[in-house]
Amino acid sequence: MTEGIKLPLPMKKGFAATDRVDAWWKGPTAMVAYLGFMVAYATWRGMMESDFWYFEEFGRSAGHQTMAIESQGSHVLSPLFSPLIIPGEGTMGSLVPMWLAWMSPAMFILIFPAGFRATCYYYRKAYYRAFMQQPTGCAVSKPWDEYSGETGLLLVQNLHRYFMYVMLIYLPILSWDFWLSVNFHEGDVDAYGISFGSICLLVNVLMLAGYTFGCHAFRHVIGGGSNNWTGSPIGRIKYRLWKLSTSLNEKHKEWALYSLFWVMFTDFYIYACTDPMFGWTDIILWGGL
Ligand code: FES
């Protein structure tokens, strides 16, 4: 079929030079703005509860914590700080040496969700294009010719499967946080209730589950290594799970982008309800004390 066509096809030279007439640049540009904002926000919030440098003016260090809404007898913990590790406090906190008490609780745990997303196949495509111009776009000239694939330092991307295993532990932890958020306590009084904050936590778990169960590595773990999906009950269960994972995987980009937004939105809502600067209060939709 390539008869008469000279390969390689001629391409314009020079950064972003192309014969394409569509708005190919819109996607990568939007991605720079979206991912740039999300990373900046998560970094800011992740450090806010720490006890050093600029951040000691905010959060826990300034006399009020912004990690969880506790004001109305409920406990709505931001997913950016879950599981909550405060050196010297609680089961996990007691495992952390006290000389690390200057660290924000988020600093102990964010490496896992951040690593999971940073090594995700979809995000790799997105940020290679948006931030590294590797490539700039299909049939669009990039600033440099070399391409060495995911070698050298980028071999770290192979850790994706292991980050995925850790995220499978996160889902029950975040579900537990939702359960705590609907349990209201004050003194001897216990009650159930649902607030806007608890709905945020629930949606967050569901979105992260959709993202995690549609992960390419998860799909492989579920469906790989099997030559017979109908000959045994285990095989049939694997097939069903693989089908479910595949249907989520087909929209993996959407799960990736929307779940990221929802984590940050949930955190922002909790932040705004805990920092007096905003003056917000969590809205109780049903029950409560
Ligand atoms: S490929 Fe995206 S989370 Fe695994």
Side-chain angles (χ1 to χ4, degrees), residues 28-274:
T29 308
M31 199 52 67
V32 167
Y34 183 71
L35 291 183
F37 178 78
M38 292 300 173
V39 170
Y41 176 81
T43 307
W44 159 255
R45 280 289 289 145
M47 298 181 98
M48 187 176 278
E49 299 290 334
S50 57
D51 223 343
F52 71 99
W53 195 38
Y54 189 67
F55 298 96
E56 62 192 10
E57 303 288 324
F58 298 92
R60 225 166 18 124
S61 311
H64 62 269
Q65 62 82 22
T66 62
M67 300 178 287
I69 301 170
E70 315 264 13
S71 57
Q72 299 176 84
S74 65
H75 174 75
V76 186
L77 176 63
S78 162
L80 288 189
F81 296 90
S82 179
L84 189 59
I85 300 177
I86 299 178
E89 286 182 37
T91 322
M92 284 188 293
S94 61
L95 302 175
V96 179
M98 280 312 288
W99 60 268
L100 291 177
W102 55 271
M103 284 174 66
S104 152
M107 290 180 181
F108 295 114
I109 47 116
L110 274 187
I111 180 67
F112 299 109
F116 183 53
R117 287 187 189 267
T119 57
C120 162
Y121 291 63
Y122 168 69
Y123 279 113
R124 272 144 75 173
K125 174 198 159 194
Y127 67 76
Y128 285 164
R129 288 181 181 222
F131 290 97
M132 300 174 186
Q133 310 301 313
Q134 248 340 350
T136 297
C138 292
V140 179
S141 191
K142 59 183 188 176
W144 33 74
D145 283 336
E146 336 73 66
Y147 175 71
S148 50
E150 290 182 315
T151 55
L153 266 184
L154 287 178
L155 284 175
V156 77
Q157 306 284 26
N158 291 330
L159 292 177
H160 184 63
R161 165 179 293 234
Y162 302 100
F163 281 121
M164 185 271 292
Y165 292 141
V166 177
M167 289 313 288
L168 292 178
I169 302 169
Y170 258 74
L171 291 173
I173 293 174
L174 295 175
S175 306
W176 179 248
D177 287 340
F178 164 68
W179 172 243
L180 292 182
S181 76
V182 298
N183 281 271
F184 289 62
H185 303 283
E186 192 153 302
D188 293 338
V189 185
D190 294 333
Y192 295 106
I194 293 182
S195 69
F196 185 73
S198 51
I199 298 278
C200 285
L201 294 193
L202 178 62
V203 173
N204 185 51
V205 176
L206 295 175
M207 300 208 60
L208 279 180
Y211 175 52
T212 308
F213 293 143
C215 164
H216 293 65
F218 180 80
R219 184 168 167 266
H220 178 73
V221 168
I222 289 296
S226 178
N227 292 324
N228 186 348
W229 277 344
T230 53
S232 70
I234 297 280
R236 285 191 284 278
I237 291 171
K238 280 187 79 169
Y239 177 64
R240 285 206 188 97
L241 291 174
W242 176 82
K243 288 266 284 183
L244 178 66
S245 179
T246 300
S247 66
L248 294 169
N249 183 267
E250 284 164 1
K251 295 272 179 206
H252 194 55
K253 169 186 171 182
E254 286 75 8
W255 285 109
L257 295 178
Y258 299 151
S259 64
L260 180 64
F261 169 80
W262 199 262
V263 174
M264 302 306 163
F265 173 77
T266 301
D267 174 77
F268 176 74
Y269 177 73
I270 291 166
Y271 171 36
C273 288
T274 49

